[in-house]
């Protein structure tokens, strides 16, 4: 009889919520100068209707995918507690790298605007 892997939906929900909050915080920090029109009052509305949805959907999706793949890859190699710790650590590292990449992207997009 095949032994079924127990998943922890609370951990996945926590990771997704953390990723959404991180994505919104990064977007708000990086897009603020472009939305307020700091350079001669010019505003870039594509930051709102293109970049925000991409970050709010993309960061949690990629983070959860990496978290799941790590859990699957370590299924037979580690115990349940060590596997949870390792996959959680990998998810946090991926989330930090993605947040940095999004900040770099927004910095390049809004780079022409002087900070207030």
């Amino acid at each position: 009889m095949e032994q079924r892997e127990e998943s922890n939906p609370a951990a996945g929900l926590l990771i997704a919520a953390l990723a959404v909050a991180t994505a919104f915080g990064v977007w708000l920090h990086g897009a603020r100068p472009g939305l307020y029109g700091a350079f001669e009052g010019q505003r870039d509305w594509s930051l709102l209707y293109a970049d925000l949805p991409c970050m709010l959907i993309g960061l949690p999706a990629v983070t959860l995918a990496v978290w799941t793949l790590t859990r699957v890859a370590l299924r037979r190699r580690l115990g349940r507690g060590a596997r949870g710790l390792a996959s959680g650590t990998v998810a946090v590292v991926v989330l930090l790298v993605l947040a940095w990449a999004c900040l770099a992207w927004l910095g390049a997009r809004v780079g022409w605007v002087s900070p207030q």
Side-chain angles (χ1 to χ4, degrees):
M1 189 160 136
E2 185 178 318
Q3 189 175 9
R4 187 175 170 159
E5 168 88 19
E6 279 188 38
S7 65
N8 192 352
L13 184 63
L14 180 66
I15 289 172
L18 181 66
V20 167
T22 302
F24 185 71
V26 164
W27 175 83
L28 191 61
H29 176 72
R32 183 172 288 158
L35 291 176
Y36 287 133
F39 181 73
E40 297 180 359
Q42 294 178 356
R43 294 182 174 158
D44 186 4
W45 292 109
S46 69
L47 293 168
L48 183 64
Y49 65 79
D51 291 340
L52 178 62
C54 287
M55 288 183 190
L56 287 179
I57 294 169
L59 259 70
V62 172
T63 305
L64 284 173
V66 169
W67 176 69
T68 303
L69 289 173
T70 304
R71 286 182 59 83
V72 168
L74 298 176
R75 180 179 346 169
R76 302 208 189 264
R77 293 182 180 93
L78 296 175
R80 186 172 185 219
R83 183 176 57 242
L85 182 64
S87 60
T89 303
V90 168
V92 168
V93 168
V94 165
L95 185 58
L96 288 173
V97 169
L98 288 174
W100 173 80
C102 287
L103 272 176
W105 169 258
L106 288 171
R109 290 239 12 234
V110 188
W112 53 271
V113 178
S114 63
Q116 294 180 351

